[in-house]
Amino acid sequence: MGDVLDTFQRNLNNGNIRKSTLIKFLNEYDAAHLFINSNYDLIIQKISSGSYISVVETLYKDERLKRLLEDKFLDTIKTLKDTFYLNALLDVYLEGKDDSQKQNFLKPYFSSLVDFLKVSDLRILLEYTSLDKSFYNQVNDKIESNKREFFKGILSEKEVCGIKIYNDKQKELDTISDIAVLLMDELLEENNKNNQNLGYADIRYEKGGYSSVFIIGDKVLQIGDREEYFLPNHRRILQPLIRTDISTLVSEEIRIPSTIDVSQRVDKKSAISEEELYTVYKELRDDNILWIDIKKENVGRLLKPNKKHFSKNLADDKKVKGFMREIDSDCLGVGEIVVIDKDYIYDLNIRNKEEIDISWNCLAVLFEERYEKEKNINKETRVISSNKGK
């Protein structure tokens, strides 16, 4: 019994508390919960790197320690070395609770949480603002008072291929953050014309592969780099309200997000089959457009017809939006599938297909092979029909 305590204390002194260490201690030392009660503040500071969430979860699931963990909720959060894990830590405490229970649990701590967190980290609390009006007001007030820092903090953490793209680029980061604030204020004003009364606490943030995505009401703001800025204007490509190249506003010597795109929100939850993806691909290819980044995450079903829905004439010039070729076709209606990620879309009227690598996307390879096969069959059928008519 003493050996178990000695081993745990040795791991504690070495800052090597892991889930396996903790489970062994809880299972084999009768007074483990008493020891943890007396030494909790030290223990959470000595958790091994990468084990914080699993250790806290193990402690919280032990009924003898549950009350302690709830009493020490704020201390546990403040000891967290990286707020990247804050969402997972909140899940540990809130898992299995309904909305009323979540509200009751968070209410004593929420003000302290808002005060403690950086304004950009408040995005983690956005999903809880609907639980209580006071939650909403506290988060909204802090973000409203620090709009630029809100965007700046989120954008500064953006990584592409594991590299933070804004390292040592404060001037560019400031410029893009200022643009984001101006656009978000416009989008809030637009939404609120319909008495939606939205504020900054209604923003939802999503990480894209190459973009930072901010959702407000029925509008989506994307800030990201683009492999190909210019593209054809096609009904199967989601119409942007605003799409502009801001590379001239930042350094040309570095690769940082240079495109801002505002569009209507689409339904991304409805099921979309591989055959429906091919229908989109085929329609684009019929108009000599090659779409490579084919996956369900990059398409959505229209919630409104695929045309501009904005009261102001915001950069509505087609060339400003990057559209270089107009393709006459009917506007797609609600429920139709459109491509929402406008990267890796090539106009084969101006690009050589043989110079474009599609091998990295299995569906692109599969669809192109199918498309060419069907085209050849149709060509042979027309030849046969033509010969019969002679």
Side-chain angles (χ1 to χ4, degrees):
M1 197 73 73
D3 290 342
V4 175
L5 178 59
D6 289 342
T7 301
F8 187 80
Q9 286 180 318
R10 189 161 53 251
N11 284 316
L12 185 61
N13 294 333
N14 293 333
N16 194 32
I17 300 299
R18 302 171 183 270
K19 180 179 179 179
S20 56
T21 311
L22 182 64
I23 290 175
K24 181 178 177 64
F25 185 56
L26 288 169
N27 289 340
E28 298 182 13
Y29 187 64
D30 292 340
H33 64 289
L34 296 176
F35 182 90
I36 292 170
N37 263 282
S38 302
N39 297 277
Y40 182 78
D41 292 340
L42 177 61
I43 290 170
I44 59 172
Q45 291 176 29
K46 298 292 186 176
I47 298 174
S48 177
S49 176
S51 300
Y52 199 88
I53 301 302
S54 60
V55 167
V56 172
E57 183 177 25
T58 301
L59 291 168
Y60 192 59
K61 286 182 176 179
D62 190 308
E63 288 300 323
R64 297 171 299 178
L65 298 169
K66 197 178 191 76
R67 179 59 184 270
L68 168 69
L69 269 287
E70 292 183 347
D71 290 343
K72 293 285 188 176
F73 175 68
L74 279 179
D75 295 325
T76 305
I77 285 178
K78 290 179 179 180
T79 309
L80 193 62
K81 293 180 176 65
D82 189 345
T83 54
F84 174 81
Y85 298 105
L86 177 56
N87 216 12
L89 187 58
L90 287 171
D91 286 343
V92 168
Y93 282 90
L94 299 176
E95 184 182 9
K97 293 180 171 64
D98 60 27
D99 285 351
S100 177
Q101 290 170 323
K102 289 178 182 177
Q103 179 197 32
N104 290 334
F105 179 82
L106 289 172
K107 194 143 192 169
Y109 311 112
F110 204 82
S111 293
S112 297
L113 267 178
V114 172
D115 291 340
F116 167 70
L117 293 174
K118 295 185 299 185
V119 65
S120 58
D121 288 333
L122 291 181
R123 69 185 183 277
I124 299 165
L125 299 183
L126 291 175
E127 67 175 288
Y128 305 110
T129 55
S130 61
L131 297 175
D132 191 290
K133 185 64 176 175
S134 68
F135 294 179
Y136 179 94
N137 290 336
Q138 291 173 67
V139 171
N140 196 64
D141 288 348
K142 185 165 179 175
I143 298 177
E144 285 269 8
S145 301
N146 302 275
K147 298 174 187 177
R148 186 196 211 196
E149 293 306 311
F150 176 70
F151 284 104
K152 188 174 176 180
I154 292 174
L155 293 171
S156 68
E157 295 173 6
K158 180 62 184 172
E159 293 184 353
V160 174
C161 299
I163 300 172
K164 287 192 175 181
I165 55 180
Y166 285 106
N167 275 348
D168 303 320
K169 303 178 182 71
Q170 287 305 306
K171 182 180 178 181
E172 288 79 11
L173 182 57
D174 288 342
T175 299
I176 294 178
S177 298
D178 288 341
I179 294 170
V181 170
L182 290 171
L183 280 174
M184 188 55 68
D185 285 343
E186 288 280 358
L187 295 177
L188 284 168
E189 180 183 336
E190 177 72 14
N191 276 298
N192 291 339
K193 286 179 180 177
N194 299 320
N195 297 317
Q196 294 188 52
N197 296 319
L198 299 179
Y200 270 76
D202 293 293
I203 294 173
R204 296 297 177 263
Y205 171 70
E206 294 182 358
K207 289 182 179 179
Y210 290 90
S211 297
S212 297
V213 182
F214 302 89
I215 302 169
I216 184 69
D218 64 353
K219 305 292 189 295
V220 180
L221 166 63
Q222 296 187 69
I223 302 172
D225 205 356
R226 285 289 170 261
E227 177 71 19
E228 187 79 2
Y229 178 71
F230 297 105
L231 69 161
N233 190 10
H234 193 280
R235 69 176 193 157
R236 286 292 179 183
I237 300 172
L238 182 62
Q239 287 287 308
L241 308 174
I242 303 168
R243 187 170 188 266
T244 187
D245 180 1
I246 58 169
S247 59
T248 56
L249 301 178
V250 297
S251 171
E252 296 179 358
E253 299 175 358
I254 53 177
R255 182 179 174 86
I256 67 169
S258 57
T259 301
I260 286 184
D261 188 305
V262 178
S263 56
Q264 286 293 133
R265 186 167 58 86
V266 298
D267 175 11
K268 295 178 66 178
K269 295 181 179 179
S270 295
I272 294 175
S273 68
E274 188 172 301
E275 189 62 29
E276 287 176 304
L277 286 177
Y278 179 71
T279 298
V280 174
Y281 180 86
K282 182 179 184 302
E283 189 172 322
L284 290 167
R285 281 294 279 118
D286 284 345
D287 287 317
N288 216 23
I289 300 165
L290 183 63
W291 171 41
I292 297 178
D293 198 10
I294 306 167
K295 52 186 175 183
K296 293 177 183 179
E297 295 88 343
N298 287 343
V299 298
R301 294 189 186 276
L302 292 168
L303 296 170
K304 289 183 177 182
N306 194 22
K307 61 182 181 180
K308 191 184 80 166
H309 298 274
F310 210 85
S311 62
K312 293 185 178 181
N313 184 24
L314 294 173
D316 200 32
D317 183 88
K318 295 292 189 293
K319 289 187 178 180
V320 170
K321 290 181 176 179
F323 288 141
M324 299 305 291
R325 175 160 67 100
E326 289 293 320
I327 298 169
D328 293 331
S329 57
D330 297 333
C331 173
L332 288 178
V334 174
E336 291 283 355
I337 299 172
V338 291
V339 180
I340 59 177
D341 188 328
K342 304 177 186 74
D343 212 359
Y344 296 101
I345 298 174
Y346 300 95
D347 187 346
L348 297 183
N349 280 10
I350 58 176
R351 291 291 301 269
N352 185 342
K353 177 175 172 289
E354 305 307 318
E355 296 176 352
I356 302 171
D357 179 22
I358 69 170
S359 63
W360 53 272
N361 188 298
C362 295
L363 278 180
V365 174
L366 182 67
F367 285 1
E368 182 60 20
E369 289 175 352
R370 176 179 170 183
Y371 179 80
E372 290 292 343
K373 184 177 180 180
E374 290 176 355
K375 188 170 72 170
N376 289 333
I377 291 173
N378 291 335
K379 184 178 179 180
E380 291 172 4
T381 302
R382 286 196 300 269
V383 170
I384 293 171
S385 297
S386 176
N387 291 334
K388 283 183 178 180
K390 291 182 180 179

